[in-house]
Amino acid sequence: MSFLARTALRSRAPHTMRSSVQRRALHVENTVGNATPFKHDSKSWFGVKLTIFLLTGAGFPAMAAYFQLYVV
């Protein structure tokens, strides 16, 4: 390999290996009361919303496993 070809490849390598930085378009302040995807004004509604939120998060994989094991 000639000297010119090696320098040409070396000068092009950092440009091709550069990774693109992805930034989120959404900015959320980390403040008290802003850690959940819903508002919690009263304790009873917070409990209901939290229960629904957690059951759906754990329920979808469980339903998918049941469907794959027993239905299909």
Side-chain angles (χ1 to χ4, degrees):
M1 191 181 258
S2 71
F3 175 73
L4 292 174
R6 278 186 276 154
T7 56
L9 287 175
R10 204 176 291 140
S11 67
R12 214 175 347 165
H15 177 66
T16 58
M17 297 182 71
R18 196 178 307 162
S19 65
S20 64
V21 177
Q22 294 181 355
R23 301 197 190 277
R24 291 176 40 169
L26 175 67
H27 178 73
V28 177
E29 290 292 328
N30 191 13
T31 58
V32 175
N34 200 15
T36 54
F38 45 80
K39 294 194 181 292
H40 45 46
D41 298 329
S42 67
K43 287 186 179 183
S44 59
W45 274 113
F46 175 71
V48 170
K49 292 176 187 178
L50 182 65
T51 303
I52 292 170
F53 179 70
L54 294 176
L55 285 177
T56 56
F60 284 136
M63 287 187 301
Y66 176 80
F67 182 77
Q68 288 183 353
L69 290 175
Y70 298 111
V71 176
V72 175

